[in-house]
Structure formats: structure tokens, C-alpha cells
Amino acid sequence: MSMKYTIFLFLLFNASISFGQQNFVAIDSLSSECSNTLSEEYQKKFETITKNIVLKKAAEKILVKELYREMQQDFLEKIKEKEFICNNDLDKYLNGLMDEVLTKNKINTQDYKILLSKNSKINAYNTGDGTIVINYGLFLAVENEDELVFVISHEIGHQFLNHVKNGIETYAKLSRSESIIAKTKEIQRQKYGKATKATNLMKNIVYEDYEKRRKKEIEADSIGFVFYGKTLRNPKAAVDILAKLDLSDIERDSLTVADYKFIFERNGFVLKQKYFNEEKSLFSKYDKMKGINVDSLKSHPDCATRIKLIEKKLEAKFSETYSSPKVFSEIKKNSIYQNLYNLYSLKQYGISLYESLKLYKKQTDDPVLQKIIYLNLLKIYESRINYTINRYVPAHDNLNNSDSLNRFVSYLNNIKISDFETIINNFKS
């Protein structure tokens, strides 16, 4: 069964599928050779970084090495799980954009590397070792190449300012500081209210960290904008992409019970209302946590302030023309479908299905969406049979999930196996 569906997946995504005026062929990265090459490269790089750590206090040096080791193991695990896309054309394109920024600013291109991740989140990040990672999900937000180049410039700014390295060393010093150790011991001596005091201490550290991260983002924006300016690209692109990042956490669409009925009720099959019921006794205890300000946990915090700071640097007049060459337009055109496929290939079947269904309710004649939905349904059905659904479908979460996503989770967990089989067969036909 597994081999059968693997073959089907290969045929589906390696054949040109026509819909409307567009053909979609998924980009995959199943090459073990590529994965092994990347793994060897980064193992050597990480060994060099760890070897060259210099700190006066032994305790801090030990902690910094531990932090680096955790980060490096996580990154190597991503390589092992084939999270990064190995594609010569895409690699050449992204490296060309990065090299454009570096050479215009007389920065050594040998110190930097850019990777494309299958991650569907609208984001990019710098790992601190000269590596810039672009999530494929970023292509859902950027509308032109100039916006993409500013994001790359921003991440180069983080590396240029050594934000990751400095952040790790600062954290090590803070955790070993006398004040933090004293506060922790004081809490341990408390007879009552220990949990509350510990939570307040944690929140203070979190918000202090947020302020530092906010400052670093502004610094990276500032120097990144200088780097970007040397490319002579449209400066307004910097403001445009930050405005989109500010809205990136907002779910633009949802799935109602009526949507599920519209999508799945075929050939006389009727969904039961009880499939959408939540187990309140199981989840209501988390409702009180909704008051926590989750904005402070954004990967790119406080975009509104950052936009205002960059706007001050814009000239009164600027071009309304943006660069969007054919290669960028092709990536952008296929980004929605590629991200759904990336989620599937990363075994995030639940989110891949959820996002596919939100699109499908408006495009029920789209063959690519139909097949992605069908494949995800098969995998989730298999996980229900094997009691492993929690590996592939997000958990019910009243703090971080939308009502729509929680409804989706309830639906997948509550639906009878026999009804699940009916839905799959109906969708197959």
C-alpha cells in the first residue's frame, strides 16, 4: 500500500498538470546525495565554529557550547529529514540575488550561503554561521523580486552584526548572572505562590528578550536597507514586504461546517454534526491563557514601528516599477501549490489538507487540489488506523489555533473510520 501511493505521488507531481492557463510540476528534493553533501558540509562547519569559541569564564563557555550543539543538531536533523530543497535552477537564482547584495556592498561572498526550506511559514532567518534560509512560504507573500531581495538584505544584516552569536553569549551570561540565580533560589524557598512567582520571572525574561529581539530587527532593517540601497532596486519594496509580514499571522480564510458539507457530502453521504463537537472538558482549561500577548513571540516583531523608521529614509519620490523577471514570476505562480506539496512531503498532512480545503471550496474543478486533498486524506486515514494521527495533525489548541483550525482538528479526530473511507472513495471518484 505504501509503495503504491509513493508511485502515485511520483506520477502526480512529476507530470505536467493543466488547469486553466497554468501547468504545475512540483519541485522535489528526494536526493540522498544532496542531503549527504549538505550534512558533511555543515558538520565540518559546526566543528570549526565550536572549536573557535572563546570566552573567559569556563561555565559560560560550556553553556555556549551546549547551546550551539543543540542548534547544530537541530539543523542537521532538518537536513536529514530533507527539509531543504536541492534544485540547481533555484539554488543558482537565489545565490545570484544574495551575491548581488554582497558584491554591491563589497562583502565576501564566500562567507555566506543561502538555502531554500520547504517550510510553509512566511519567514526567513539567519543561522549565525553565514547561512540564510528562505522559507518557501515567503513566496506566498512577496509580490516581486525587489521584496525578496530586501528580505535577503535584512538577513545579511543579522549576520553582518553577529546577532545570533552575540545573542547566545548574552543568554549564557544572563543565565549565570547572580541576580537570576538569586531570584530562582528565592522562589524555591517560597512556601506559597511558587508557581506564580516562577511564571512572573519567566515573563520578565521573555519580554526582556523581546525588547532585545525588537532592537535587533530594527538594526537589521537599518543596515539591510543600506545594503539593499546599493542594488539600486525600488526602495519602497522594503516597506511593502514589512507591511505584509505584519499581517502574515492573520488567517485569511476559514472552514465552516457548511464548507465541510459542501466539499464532502456527495453520492448521498451526509456528515454528522457530532463530528465537529469539541471535548470541552479536555480543552477549556486552556481558555484562561488567551489573555497572553502572543504578538511578542512573532519572528519579526513590531513591523509597524519598523515601517515608520524605514519610511523616514525614503525619498519623497521613488519609482513605482518593481523587478519581476520570468524566473521569479514562475516561482510565484506555483507557490501556492508547491507549498501544499512541501507540507505533504514534510508529513504535515493535517495542515496540507486544511490549507488545500480552504482553496478547494472556491476551486472545486482544480485537479491539483483534488489530488493533494486525496493524498492527504489517505495518509490521515492510515494514521487513524494506526493510532498515530497526532504525529501528522496539529493538536487542539485554544491559545494558538483559530476556531476554524480547532474545528478541523475535531473533525479529523471524531469522524468514524467507515465515514472516512466513504469520503476518500467519493473524493477519488
Side-chain angles (χ1 to χ4, degrees):
M1 180 175 175
S2 176
M3 179 62 71
K4 173 184 174 183
Y5 294 130
T6 300
I7 294 171
F8 179 47
L9 178 66
F10 176 83
L11 292 174
L12 168 61
F13 288 108
N14 289 276
S16 179
I17 301 173
S18 299
F19 53 101
Q21 297 180 338
Q22 182 174 324
N23 293 323
F24 171 65
V25 182
I27 301 164
D28 209 341
S29 59
L30 300 177
S31 168
S32 295
E33 181 181 353
C34 170
S35 178
N36 292 338
T37 301
L38 263 184
S39 183
E40 290 173 7
E41 177 186 343
Y42 276 89
Q43 282 177 343
K44 290 179 182 177
K45 178 182 283 193
F46 293 155
E47 287 172 6
T48 301
I49 291 172
T50 303
K51 185 178 179 180
N52 291 333
I53 293 174
V54 178
L55 286 171
K56 291 181 179 179
K57 295 184 178 180
E60 289 178 9
K61 186 174 182 178
I62 290 170
L63 181 55
V64 166
K65 282 190 174 184
E66 288 176 358
L67 291 170
Y68 270 116
R69 185 159 47 246
E70 287 179 13
M71 287 175 57
Q72 292 162 359
Q73 286 175 348
D74 179 64
F75 197 82
L76 291 172
E77 186 64 25
K78 288 179 180 179
I79 295 174
K80 181 181 176 182
E81 295 298 321
K82 297 184 174 66
E83 181 175 315
F84 300 107
I85 293 176
C86 294
N87 179 277
N88 289 334
D89 292 337
L90 283 175
D91 290 344
K92 183 178 179 181
Y93 173 64
L94 290 174
N95 273 288
L97 296 181
M98 181 183 68
D99 287 352
E100 176 188 351
V101 178
L102 294 173
T103 54
K104 293 285 185 180
N105 289 277
K106 295 181 173 56
I107 301 172
N108 188 356
T109 58
Q110 299 301 313
D111 295 337
Y112 288 78
K113 185 181 184 71
I114 193 164
L115 295 175
L116 182 60
S117 167
K118 293 181 183 178
N119 196 311
S120 64
K121 291 181 180 178
I122 299 173
N123 209 349
Y125 60 94
N126 160 246
T127 62
D129 56 34
T131 303
I132 293 169
V133 178
I134 301 293
N135 286 355
Y136 211 101
L138 185 66
F139 288 107
L140 297 173
V142 293
E143 292 181 5
N144 52 70
E145 192 179 75
D146 293 348
E147 292 177 357
L148 177 58
V149 172
F150 175 73
V151 172
I152 293 171
S153 301
H154 171 94
E155 299 306 332
I156 291 173
H158 278 303
Q159 179 63 42
F160 190 83
L161 296 170
N162 274 325
H163 278 162
V164 174
K165 177 178 179 293
N166 294 340
I168 289 174
E169 292 180 2
T170 299
Y171 176 82
K173 291 175 182 177
L174 176 65
S175 65
R176 299 290 180 180
S177 69
E178 294 181 3
S179 61
I180 295 296
I181 293 172
K183 287 177 183 177
T184 303
K185 288 181 178 179
E186 181 183 341
I187 290 170
Q188 290 173 343
R189 289 195 295 267
Q190 295 290 320
K191 189 173 182 180
Y192 303 106
K194 188 180 294 187
T196 301
K197 291 182 182 295
T199 300
N200 288 336
L201 176 60
M202 181 196 71
K203 284 173 67 176
N204 288 335
I205 293 173
V206 167
Y207 285 119
E208 181 181 5
D209 182 57
Y210 166 68
E211 288 301 322
K212 291 177 181 176
R213 287 175 55 236
R214 178 175 178 268
K215 181 182 177 183
K216 287 178 180 178
E217 294 300 336
I218 291 172
E219 289 174 348
D221 281 342
S222 182
I223 194 166
F225 190 70
V226 172
F227 292 158
Y228 176 79
K230 297 287 182 67
T231 67
L232 302 181
R233 290 173 176 268
N234 192 333
K236 191 172 180 294
V239 171
D240 294 341
I241 187 57
L242 285 177
K244 288 163 191 163
L245 284 174
D246 197 31
L247 300 174
S248 63
D249 291 341
I250 300 173
E251 189 171 5
R252 300 297 181 86
D253 202 354
S254 62
L255 288 172
T256 65
V257 173
D259 291 329
Y260 288 94
K261 290 180 178 292
F262 172 71
I263 294 170
F264 292 118
E265 290 190 341
R266 301 179 185 179
N267 302 324
F269 174 72
V270 178
L271 284 173
K272 297 177 177 63
Q273 179 63 41
K274 66 180 182 180
Y275 292 161
F276 302 97
N277 294 340
E278 298 179 11
E279 297 183 43
K280 295 294 183 183
S281 61
L282 199 61
F283 307 121
S284 59
K285 64 181 179 180
Y286 297 107
D287 287 342
K288 61 185 179 181
M289 298 174 65
K290 281 193 171 184
I292 295 176
N293 180 6
V294 296
D295 281 349
S296 63
L297 303 179
K298 276 187 179 181
S299 57
H300 290 85
D302 201 4
C303 290
T305 299
R306 294 162 60 193
I307 288 170
K308 290 179 181 177
L309 291 173
I310 289 182
E311 282 179 333
K312 291 180 180 179
K313 300 177 182 181
L314 292 177
E315 296 179 5
K317 295 181 181 180
F318 45 80
S319 171
E320 290 296 333
T321 303
Y322 298 88
S323 177
S324 292
K326 184 179 179 181
V327 60
F328 174 85
S329 298
E330 285 296 316
I331 298 171
K332 177 65 179 176
K333 183 176 69 173
N334 292 328
S335 62
I336 292 175
Y337 299 95
Q338 182 65 41
N339 273 291
L340 295 175
Y341 172 67
N342 288 344
L343 285 166
Y344 180 91
S345 68
L346 290 172
K347 300 182 180 180
Q348 297 178 29
Y349 307 126
I351 294 298
S352 181
L353 176 60
Y354 180 65
E355 296 299 333
S356 299
L357 292 175
K358 288 194 291 185
L359 293 169
Y360 181 75
K361 69 178 184 178
K362 299 174 184 177
Q363 302 166 236
T364 54
D365 60 344
D366 188 321
V368 176
L369 290 177
Q370 289 175 4
K371 290 180 180 179
I372 292 176
I373 290 169
Y374 175 66
L375 290 170
N376 280 305
L377 285 171
L378 284 172
K379 288 295 186 181
I380 295 169
Y381 168 75
E382 185 179 318
S383 73
R384 277 284 305 271
I385 296 294
N386 296 324
Y387 300 100
T388 57
I389 190 170
N390 290 339
R391 296 181 188 176
Y392 311 111
V393 173
H396 195 294
D397 185 342
N398 283 346
L399 172 61
N400 297 306
N401 291 356
S402 64
D403 291 339
S404 173
L405 182 54
N406 278 337
R407 186 183 303 115
F408 171 77
V409 173
S410 296
Y411 169 70
L412 291 182
N413 281 282
N414 292 340
I415 190 169
K416 282 182 7 182
I417 292 297
S418 58
D419 284 349
F420 213 138
E421 292 170 348
T422 300
I423 286 173
I424 290 174
N425 287 330
N426 282 343
F427 230 86
K428 183 178 180 179
S429 61

